């Protein structure tokens, strides 16, 4: 929709954007200019990437995936990478009215001018925002309608492990770690352009597909059975692989990013320097897609972590550090890491935190160590299931005793408030499994009061709807319908408040089951769901991850309009249990996990049989290490973190 | 405790920085530059920085001020240079002077603004300005946290005129700015009236957008695109509408060697 007549490619649209900014909310989010941002000459660049996180700047800016790729790409002399985020509906309306295209925040260049438009999806609820961005950029929504003048539209992130619902809108998707993948793709595009782009868009996509690690949906045909199930998914060209494999960056010490973190001017959801201390997880929680698709475990060494924290604080000026991973206390040298950092930053104004820890008294010790500076950020634990039985089903191996002991240790250590996360709608769940959460919370407060002798303690119960995800043992499971979820959530609230004295000390946060239901459609959907997404978007659907924008009715109406003609429905995608023989929409996308192992684990779940952590016990043949030619990398290295002089004494 | 008073500018696209955004950026810049900043005591220590009447979000400025308390004395010029280097271009630290007086806030009694109105011919602007100045009172409405309120946009206006160019340093108006702000928004062709405005600080403050609202009230002046506003100076307002650099008093004390307060 941009006026291309007089414009040079890559020319800034800021002069047209600027008069619109005083008319919108939080204009600072659109102007860029953050510390750490890079602006390069358009003309000198051989390959140009526009990177997007498809949500508002305040959510997208802190995303590490985008920040890492931005830095890795811009380190290449002849590569230019800029960032773009979803614009709020107020600016979207003005951009349309004044014919200003989707722009990057770095140099305000039109997204449609770039060679590649890479979009990182952490959640499926960003799909409608992809369509907004494509449309504002003047890029045809459907990949089939694009020509050589349009960027290659490429998806990454966890949701790219099943990109089928947005397959019509994508040229390609990349599974797994991005650091090396973006460089490899850049090399292919650079060489292709240097040769004069022989064969055009189709040839470029073919070259990408031949790497076997870039998925190009148009090169695969999906055939369906009369009952709506998929019959098969096959390449429609001879030199395209049957399966596309995920990428794994093995040596995290060789990729110590972000080195120059982007420091926002606008307020964002996480304003801290975050270091990923390891990737992958071996705990085997059956609901956890991240834990499954990021295997194997790869630890960053204690010395690299220490250097990254030191340098990251110096570069950014942040006064908060997060040590990130899927289960942060599981790093084999976590004790030495936390002790070393606590020593180093004692007496400074730097606060350290360890999000994502298991329900384990050891983790309270670690948190106490990190809180030596006096700041006690919240303690959060995720038992996920209320009853012992359901925790066996999901393989979250925590006993009630563990949980009570851990929480009481926290109260005794001076924490006044502890947050507990649970899920509702898990496979085999009954009303009683959910009501057990109330009993557990009551027990936590009762024991806490007895042990500390104080009534000034609280716990918050947060509960979200379970969504079965591809590449997990629950990928075959039926979702509970939203009515059942809502009924259980209300019953739980009543049960918590049934004892007024205890109920007063317990906070209760929940979302209704409807957004999860739609997330369920988008997670396990196939190419036919693309019509629903487009219908919702055309009907005004935007920012579906935001409760104030999400409309369940709009999604249901779109499903009712688009799916019956295809012989399927919203319920068919969500509340239907799959059989082992069914071809799943993502079966041609290889996460390394062996399908038979996943099925066996699903059967174990139904029989309430737990599976141990393969970090400490022999291999259970999930398939990742041999299939991907990788291996678990854990310490200890025996190295120590030396206390340095604090940055700011 | 040493206290240093600083003048800074918000320029170009960073004019869209809100006061809160600037405060966070500044605190981070202090840490990056290893400034020995003083903190309040207590459970959640805060850096000792106090800000004076910040320009609204979206308004550029050549004359914003804050004062910072330090644990250990530093050379003000070192502080200016290191903070400027640590902040993104567009948030520019212009001057740093050791505080030697106690009435700084009182000295900020007026502001000099320049308003660019793309698409508005000079003659239209002149007629509106004449009507505005002829009125005894120009009631305008503004939405505040406590709801809609009406205020008089006329009485605090000390000077309002259509000008052909932006006054530079040392000219009548007493600007302390050392750069002439960028010209009107590119891409908008045609006329662009420039208003020169001096306003006395009152409570609640009357800002350029209130004066623009006043011009709409008296003469239906409705610029086709949002005006671009820059604060050129803040300081002590003299009778004829000149602004005296508020840091002069601290500099004079430094020269005469009076100990700090």
């Amino acid at each position: 929709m941009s006026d291309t007549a007089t414009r040079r490619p890559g020319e800034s649209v800021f002069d047209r954007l600027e008069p619109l900014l005083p008319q919108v909310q939080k204009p600072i989010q659109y102007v860029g200019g953050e510390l750490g941002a890079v602006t390069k000459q358009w003309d000198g660049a051989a390959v140009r990437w526009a990177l997007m996180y498809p949500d508002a700047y305040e959510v997208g800016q802190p995303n590490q995936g985008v920040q890492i790729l931005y830095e890795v790409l811009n380190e290449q002399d002849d590569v230019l990478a800029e960032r773009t985020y979803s614009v709020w509906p107020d600016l979207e309306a003005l951009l349309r009215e004044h014919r200003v295209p989707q722009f990057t925040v770095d140099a305000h260049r039109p997204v449609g001018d770039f060679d590649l438009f890479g979009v990182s999806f952490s959640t499926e609820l960003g799909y409608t925002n992809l369509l907004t961005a494509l449309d504002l950029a003047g890029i045809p929504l459907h990949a089939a309608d694009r020509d050589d003048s349009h960027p290659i539209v490429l998806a990454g992130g966890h949701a790219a492990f099943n990109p089928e619902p947005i397959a019509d809108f994508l040229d390609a998707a990349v599974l797994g770690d991005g650091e090396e993948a973006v460089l490899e793709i850049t090399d292919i595009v650079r060489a292709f352009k240097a040769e004069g782009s022989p064969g055009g868009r189709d040839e470029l996509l073919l070259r990408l597909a031949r790497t076997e690690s870039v998925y190009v949906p148009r090169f695969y045909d999906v055939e369906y059975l009369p009952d709506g199930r998929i019959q098969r998914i096959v390449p429609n060209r001879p030199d395209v692989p049957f399966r596309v494999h995920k990428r794994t960056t093995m040596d995290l010490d060789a990729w110590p990013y972000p080195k120059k973190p982007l420091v926002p001017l606008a307020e964002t959801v996480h304003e801290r320097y975050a270091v990923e201390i390891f990737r992958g997880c071996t705990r085997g929680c059956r609901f956890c897609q991240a834990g499954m698709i990021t295997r194997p475990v790869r630890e960053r060494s204690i010395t690299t972590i220490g250097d990254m924290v030191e340098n990251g604080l110096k570069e950014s000026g942040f006064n908060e550090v997060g040590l990130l991973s899927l289960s942060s206390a599981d790093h084999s040298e976590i004790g030495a890491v936390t002790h070393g950092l606590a020593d180093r930053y004692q007496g400074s104004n730097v606060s350290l935190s360890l999000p994502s820890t298991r329900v384990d008294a050891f983790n309270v010790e670690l948190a106490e160590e990190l809180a030596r500076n006096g700041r006690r950020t919240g303690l959060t634990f995720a038992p996920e299931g209320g009853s012992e039985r359901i925790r066996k089903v999901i393989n979250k191996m925590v006993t009630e005793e563990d949980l009570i002991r851990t929480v009481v240790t926290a109260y005794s250590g001076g924490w006044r408030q502890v947050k507990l996360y649970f899920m509702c709608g898990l496979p085999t769940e009954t009303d009683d499994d959910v009501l057990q959460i109330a009993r557990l919370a009551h027990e936590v407060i009762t024991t806490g009061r007895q042990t500390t002798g104080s009534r000034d303690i609280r716990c918050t119960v947060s509960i979200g709807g379970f969504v079965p995800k591809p590449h997990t043992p629950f990928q075959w499971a039926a979702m509970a319908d939203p009515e059942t979820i809502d009924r259980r959530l209300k019953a739980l609230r009543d049960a918590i408040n049934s004892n007024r004295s205890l109920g007063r000390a317990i906070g209760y946060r929940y979302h209704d089951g409807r957004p999860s239901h739609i997330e369920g459609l988008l997670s396990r959907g196939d190419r036919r769901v693309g019509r629903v997404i487009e219908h919702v978007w055309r009907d005004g659907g935007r920012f579906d991850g935001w409760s104030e924008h999400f409309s369940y009715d709009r999604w249901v109406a779109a499903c009712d309009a688009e799916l019956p003609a295809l012989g399927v429905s919203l319920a068919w995608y969500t509340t239907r249990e799959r059989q082992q023989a069914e071809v799943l929409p993502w079966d041609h996308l290889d996460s390394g996990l062996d399908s038979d192992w996943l099925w066996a684990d699903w059967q174990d779940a139904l029989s309430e049989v737990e599976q141990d952590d393969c970090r400490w016990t022999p291999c259970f043949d999930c398939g990742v290490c041999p299939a991907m030619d990788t291996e678990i990398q854990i310490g200890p290295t025996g190295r120590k973190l030396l206390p340095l002089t604090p940055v700011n004494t | 405790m040493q206290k240093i008073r600083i003048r800074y500018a918000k320029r170009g696209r960073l004019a869209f920085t809100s006061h809160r955004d600037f405060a966070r950026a500044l605190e981070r810049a202090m840490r990056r530059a290893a400034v020995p900043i003083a903190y309040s005591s207590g459970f959640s220590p805060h850096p000792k920085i106090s800000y004076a009447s910040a320009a609204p979000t979206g308004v550029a400025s050549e004359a914003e001020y804050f004062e910072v308390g330090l644990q250990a004395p530093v050379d003000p010029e070192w502080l200016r240079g290191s903070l400027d280097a640590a902040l993104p271009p567009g948030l520019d630290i212009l001057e740093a002077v050791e505080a030697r007086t106690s009435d700084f806030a009182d000295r900020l009694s007026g502001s000099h603004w320049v308003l660019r109105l793309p698409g508005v011919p000079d003659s239209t602007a002149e007629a509106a300005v004449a009507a505005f100045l002829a009125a005894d009172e120009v009631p305008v409405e503004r939405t505040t946290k406590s709801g809609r309120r009406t205020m008089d946009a006329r009485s605090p206006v000390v000077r309002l005129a259509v000008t052909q160019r932006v006054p530079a340093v040392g000219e009548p108006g007493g600007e302390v700015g050392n750069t002439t702000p960028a010209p009107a928004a590119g891409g908008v062709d045609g006329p662009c009236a420039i208003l020169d405005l001096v306003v006395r600080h009152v409570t609640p403050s009357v800002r350029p957008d209130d004066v623009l609202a006043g011009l709409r009230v008296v003469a239906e002046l409705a610029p086709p695109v949002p005006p671009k506003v820059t604060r050129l100076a803040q300081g002590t307002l003299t009778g004829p509408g000149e602004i005296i650099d508020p840091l002069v008093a601290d500099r004079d004390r430094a020269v005469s060697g009076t100990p700090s307060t």
Side-chain angles (χ1 to χ4, degrees):
Chain A
M1 57 185 292
S2 60
D3 300 324
T4 47
T6 55
R7 227 178 30 81
R8 281 180 298 112
E11 196 177 340
S12 169
V13 298
F14 191 71
D15 59 341
R16 290 194 282 148
L17 174 66
E18 193 176 17
L20 311 180
L21 293 180
Q23 307 169 56
V24 303
Q25 294 284 309
K26 301 183 190 169
I28 185 68
Q29 66 184 305
Y30 304 116
V31 303
E34 310 104 312
L35 202 89
V38 178
T39 312
K40 289 187 170 181
Q41 291 293 317
W42 182 261
D43 290 333
V47 181
R48 306 177 183 104
W49 282 83
L51 300 172
M52 180 177 204
Y53 190 91
D55 203 329
Y57 178 90
E58 63 189 90
V59 175
Q61 192 280 341
N63 180 265
Q64 275 232 325
V66 171
Q67 287 202 23
I68 290 170
L69 300 185
Y70 177 76
E71 197 173 342
V72 165
L73 287 167
N74 276 320
E75 278 181 356
Q76 305 270 308
D77 283 340
D78 65 344
V79 178
L80 174 155
E82 298 192 3
R83 296 161 296 135
T84 185
Y85 304 95
S86 297
V87 299
W88 279 119
D90 59 353
L91 184 59
E92 184 193 339
L94 287 169
L95 294 183
R96 289 183 188 284
E97 185 189 336
H98 295 272
R99 305 183 66 78
V100 179
Q102 176 84 25
F103 56 87
T104 59
V105 297
D106 294 294
H108 299 93
R109 308 189 207 265
V111 164
D113 289 354
F114 287 74
D115 298 312
L116 294 132
F117 179 32
V119 189
S120 176
F121 291 100
S122 310
T123 156
E124 296 84 0
L125 294 172
Y127 289 163
T128 46
N129 283 3
L130 166 70
L131 299 192
T132 306
L134 288 172
D135 189 52
L136 286 175
I139 301 170
L141 292 190
H142 292 262
D145 299 332
R146 293 176 200 146
D147 61 35
D148 291 356
S149 73
H150 299 117
I152 299 292
V153 179
L154 187 80
H158 287 185
F161 276 80
N162 176 25
E164 288 300 274
I166 48 170
D168 290 348
F169 316 122
L170 296 179
D171 293 298
V174 178
L175 283 59
D177 298 324
E179 290 93 342
E180 290 157 290
V182 285
L183 294 180
E184 204 174 294
I185 292 166
T186 299
D187 288 345
I188 291 170
V189 173
R190 183 194 286 115
F192 174 76
K193 287 175 72 179
E195 290 167 35
S197 308
R201 193 176 190 86
D202 194 69
E203 167 66 18
L204 176 57
L205 289 171
L206 197 56
R207 289 190 191 186
L208 292 169
R210 283 194 204 120
T211 62
E212 305 201 355
S213 65
V214 178
Y215 171 53
V216 179
R218 73 172 61 175
F219 296 153
Y220 297 79
D221 288 335
V222 184
E223 292 159 22
Y224 301 96
L225 294 164
D227 65 3
R229 287 178 300 149
I230 293 170
Q231 181 169 33
R232 54 184 199 146
I233 303 170
V234 282
N236 55 27
R237 334 219 350 175
D239 40 3
V240 167
F242 276 85
R243 297 192 86 197
V244 179
H245 310 292
K246 81 161 175 184
R247 298 296 312 248
T248 307
T249 297
M250 282 308 294
D251 184 1
L252 292 196
D253 283 345
W255 298 90
Y257 296 87
K259 293 175 187 167
K260 293 188 190 311
L262 284 157
V263 185
L265 281 159
E267 197 164 4
T268 63
V269 293
H270 292 302
E271 303 198 14
R272 63 181 179 198
Y273 181 67
V275 180
E276 203 179 2
I277 61 174
F278 65 90
R279 230 172 253 185
C281 183
T282 47
R283 291 284 179 177
C285 302
R286 290 173 176 135
F287 54 84
C288 181
Q289 187 192 41
M292 295 287 165
I293 62 180
T294 59
R295 293 176 177 209
V297 166
R298 291 145 286 155
E299 288 188 350
R300 201 161 245 155
S301 71
I302 178 169
T303 41
T304 304
I305 294 169
D307 292 347
M308 286 178 71
V309 170
E310 172 76 4
N311 176 64
L313 288 175
K314 205 187 292 173
E315 289 285 338
S316 67
F318 286 132
N319 61 347
E320 195 182 324
V321 176
L323 302 174
L324 305 189
S325 73
L326 293 171
S327 180
S328 290
D330 279 347
H331 191 287
S332 58
E333 292 181 299
I334 193 64
V337 168
T338 52
H339 188 77
L341 292 177
D343 276 355
R344 181 185 288 179
Y345 297 104
Q346 182 153 18
S348 75
N349 285 291
V350 172
S351 73
L352 304 160
S353 67
L354 199 65
S356 306
T357 58
R358 289 173 50 79
V359 181
D360 189 331
F362 171 63
N363 300 328
V364 179
E365 279 172 41
L366 294 176
E368 280 178 19
E369 185 82 349
L370 292 177
R372 254 199 258 156
N373 268 336
R375 292 255 297 269
R376 280 170 197 270
T377 52
L379 263 192
T380 302
F381 296 105
E384 312 284 6
S387 70
E388 207 87 35
R389 189 194 72 78
I390 201 84
R391 288 196 296 272
K392 283 186 175 158
V393 171
I394 64 179
N395 204 37
K396 188 88 192 185
M397 292 188 288
V398 181
T399 64
E400 183 164 335
E401 227 179 10
D402 287 340
L403 176 71
I404 305 286
R405 193 186 323 116
T406 302
V407 175
V408 168
T409 308
Y411 291 138
S412 310
W415 272 272
R416 301 268 68 104
Q417 166 134 352
V418 170
K419 255 193 235 170
L420 300 174
Y421 277 135
F422 295 93
M423 279 188 287
C424 182
L426 289 161
T428 78
E429 180 182 279
T430 64
D431 291 4
D432 183 60
D433 290 315
V434 176
L435 293 176
Q436 292 283 323
I437 296 171
R439 204 189 43 73
L440 205 57
H442 287 167
E443 190 69 25
V444 159
I445 297 296
T446 308
T447 320
R449 283 178 182 168
Q450 280 165 4
T451 322
T452 61
S454 165
R455 290 182 66 83
D456 178 29
I457 53 168
R458 284 182 57 77
C459 92
T460 302
V461 169
S462 273
I463 181 160
F466 162 70
V467 179
K469 296 271 174 158
H471 306 278
T472 69
F474 288 166
Q475 63 182 354
W476 292 279
M479 281 186 90
D481 58 63
E483 292 73 28
T484 305
I485 305 262
D486 290 351
R487 185 172 48 74
R488 286 181 186 156
L489 291 175
K490 286 192 180 70
L492 173 59
R493 184 189 55 200
D494 294 342
I496 287 175
N497 292 326
S498 65
N499 180 319
R500 284 190 57 203
S501 158
L502 295 171
R504 258 201 298 268
I506 300 167
Y508 181 47
R509 312 227 178 293
Y510 69 96
H511 296 292
D512 67 60
R514 300 185 305 173
S516 311
H517 200 58
I518 298 307
E519 207 186 324
L521 167 75
L522 299 175
S523 304
R524 292 192 296 173
D526 52 40
R527 289 188 186 185
R528 292 169 292 193
V529 173
R531 299 182 188 207
V532 177
I533 296 167
E534 187 172 339
H535 190 113
V536 164
W537 178 77
R538 290 197 187 280
D539 194 30
R542 304 287 187 276
F543 288 95
D544 285 297
W546 294 68
S547 54
E548 62 264 49
H549 292 288
F550 175 80
S551 164
Y552 182 68
D553 293 342
R554 180 146 57 202
W555 281 96
V556 170
C559 287
D560 289 345
E562 300 288 344
L563 296 179
L566 304 167
V568 290
S569 67
L570 175 57
W572 189 85
Y573 282 108
T574 54
T575 55
R576 179 178 64 96
E577 185 169 331
R578 280 72 160 163
Q579 297 305 309
Q580 187 175 15
E582 180 167 344
V583 176
L584 301 172
W586 50 91
D587 274 350
H588 56 306
L589 302 175
D590 181 11
S591 60
L593 295 155
D594 179 50
S595 180
D596 290 340
W597 177 82
L598 284 175
W599 179 262
D601 206 41
W602 168 226
Q603 298 308 305
D604 281 350
L606 295 174
S607 340
E608 298 164 24
V609 173
E610 294 161 288
Q611 172 98 277
D612 242 323
D613 183 340
C614 73
R615 178 192 300 241
W616 319 115
T617 49
C619 178
F620 288 97
D621 296 326
C622 77
V624 170
C625 293
M628 294 285 158
D629 194 20
T630 55
E631 58 183 18
I632 288 188
Q633 293 174 340
I634 54 171
T637 60
R639 284 181 280 181
K640 284 210 165 47
L641 194 63
L642 296 175
L644 302 176
T645 311
V647 182
N648 190 13
T649 37
Chain B
M1 181 174 67
Q2 187 191 30
K3 287 184 181 172
I4 294 185
R5 289 177 182 151
I6 287 174
R7 178 167 74 95
Y8 71 96
K10 280 200 311 182
R11 291 169 174 161
R13 54 181 164 161
L14 295 198
F16 291 102
T17 313
S18 74
H19 170 60
R20 277 163 51 83
D21 298 334
F22 176 78
R24 285 195 317 276
L26 176 66
E27 287 172 28
R28 288 176 191 148
M30 297 262 186
R31 289 192 288 266
R32 283 195 299 274
V35 175
I37 193 164
Y39 282 83
S40 65
S41 47
F43 182 71
S44 164
H46 286 287
K48 292 207 167 170
I49 304 176
S50 44
Y51 299 90
S53 58
T57 306
V59 168
S61 178
E62 290 295 317
E64 301 293 289
Y65 293 89
F66 65 87
E67 181 180 281
V68 55
L70 301 169
Q71 292 170 14
V74 301
D75 171 23
E77 185 48 31
W78 170 84
L79 180 64
R80 192 207 64 73
S82 12
L83 271 186
D84 191 44
L87 281 164
L91 297 178
D92 301 326
I93 304 291
L94 304 178
E95 282 182 272
V97 175
E98 184 163 358
R100 292 169 192 274
T101 59
S102 57
D103 53 349
F104 184 72
D106 298 341
R107 291 206 292 276
L108 300 182
S109 59
S111 283
H112 182 190
W113 308 87
V114 60
L115 290 68
R116 289 177 181 73
L117 313 182
V120 176
D122 279 0
S123 54
T124 309
E126 273 158 7
V129 165
F132 183 91
L133 292 175
D136 291 333
E137 207 174 87
V138 179
V140 296
E141 281 206 326
R142 191 204 290 174
T143 307
T144 65
K145 278 175 197 144
S146 47
R148 291 197 77 76
R149 62 185 302 167
T150 303
M151 59 172 80
D152 175 22
R154 173 64 187 89
S155 64
V157 172
V158 178
R159 187 169 86 212
L160 178 62
V162 178
T163 179
Q164 295 309 305
R165 64 191 184 89
V166 181
V169 182
E171 288 188 46
E175 283 71 34
V176 291
N178 60 359
T179 55
T180 302
V188 180
D189 295 327
C192 176
I194 301 174
L195 301 185
D196 183 55
L197 170 68
V198 175
V199 177
R200 176 180 297 111
H201 291 175
V202 291
T203 308
S205 63
V206 164
R207 303 183 308 201
D209 51 325
D210 300 314
V211 173
L212 285 167
L215 292 171
R216 172 172 281 213
V217 167
V218 295
E220 289 176 357
L221 180 73
V225 296
K228 293 186 77 174
V229 180
T230 305
R231 169 143 68 190
L232 294 178
Q234 270 195 93
T236 310
L237 189 63
T238 63
E242 289 179 28
I243 304 259
I244 295 169
D245 180 350
L247 295 177
V248 162
D250 295 287
R251 273 196 215 95
D252 289 350
R253 292 283 189 97
V255 170
S256 63
T258 310
S260 61
T261 48

